[in-house]
Amino acid sequence: MKKEELIITPKTKVFDIIEAYPQLEDILIAYVPTFEKLKNPVLRRTVGKVATLQQAAIIGNVNVGLLVNQLRQEIGQNAEETNSEEHQYIYQKPEWFDENKVTVKFDVREMLANGEHPVAQVMEDLKKQKDDEIYQLIAPFLPVPLIDKASSLGFIHWIKKENEELFFIYFKKNM
């Protein structure tokens, strides 16, 4: 993608920004330290291609408008009013959660370390889940694109953050 064609918005993919404007990588990492991992070319091609700036802002717990406008300013684009829709991510333990109903536990850390992307596997697993079953995903960062995809397919979730590099995300069919 040519630089003059890429207008930075909340929906712009992180990969596209870094490819078009390599100088923005350090600014993005300063806002979202988790994205330091994107210096790894394999992760850049997997996670970076699906994560949008809006999702990066959620992962980094920063205001998407501030992030977008900071990046735009650095490359000479005008600041924009960013009126992005906010997604609700659930961090409070829900009523539906029951540890005994967790039927699948999928740890994606090794898969990500090998440069593989777990979305297809998780979606396939979720399609097999019965209404009363709970699926546990274990990840080294908050997988916002994956949560958004599961939500679009009718799953509810709960995020249990153990620390900065360990997240448990539970999915259940929304009935």
Side-chain angles (χ1 to χ4, degrees):
M1 182 172 286
K2 293 179 183 175
K3 289 183 181 185
E4 59 271 8
E5 294 176 3
L6 183 66
I7 303 297
I8 298 175
T9 71
K11 301 293 183 196
T12 307
K13 302 283 190 212
V14 171
F15 178 86
D16 294 339
I17 291 168
I18 294 172
E19 288 296 302
Y21 305 103
Q23 71 273 26
L24 296 181
E25 182 176 36
D26 290 335
I27 294 168
L28 185 59
I29 290 169
Y31 267 86
V32 186
T34 304
F35 278 23
E36 175 76 32
K37 295 173 180 142
L38 291 180
K39 287 187 181 277
N40 174 328
V42 176
L43 285 178
R44 180 179 294 192
R45 286 191 306 272
T46 55
V47 176
K49 284 192 175 180
V50 296
T52 64
L53 276 183
Q54 182 168 339
Q55 294 164 334
I58 292 165
I59 291 167
N61 197 27
V62 298
N63 179 291
V64 69
L66 293 176
L67 176 58
V68 167
N69 284 329
Q70 175 68 38
L71 295 173
R72 289 174 66 90
Q73 179 183 345
E74 289 292 324
I75 58 167
Q77 291 180 3
N78 293 328
E80 294 258 325
E81 281 289 320
T82 53
N83 190 7
S84 60
E85 68 236 36
E86 287 296 321
H87 294 275
Q88 284 290 329
Y89 296 98
I90 310 302
Y91 288 89
Q92 187 172 352
K93 186 176 178 180
E95 294 285 327
W96 55 261
F97 182 77
D98 178 349
E99 184 73 39
N100 296 320
K101 292 185 178 183
V102 175
T103 56
V104 176
K105 294 181 180 185
F106 182 36
D107 188 335
V108 299
R109 293 176 289 187
E110 185 176 334
M111 193 176 205
L112 288 170
N114 291 330
E116 300 171 44
H117 204 295
V119 174
Q121 180 65 51
V122 173
M123 292 305 118
E124 186 177 315
D125 291 348
L126 287 176
K127 287 177 187 174
K128 297 175 186 173
Q129 289 291 110
K130 294 183 179 145
D131 291 348
D132 60 340
E133 296 177 336
I134 297 173
Y135 183 92
Q136 180 190 50
L137 179 73
I138 303 163
F141 55 86
L142 187 60
V144 173
L146 198 148
I147 295 169
D148 289 348
K149 179 73 172 164
S151 296
S152 76
L153 296 175
F155 288 87
I156 52 178
H157 70 275
W158 169 44
I159 300 162
K160 183 178 177 188
K161 180 179 177 180
E162 289 293 313
N163 59 52
E164 291 302 316
E165 294 192 7
L166 182 60
F167 292 82
F168 297 101
I169 301 92
Y170 298 92
F171 294 100
K172 183 178 183 304
K173 285 186 180 175
N174 191 7
M175 303 188 316

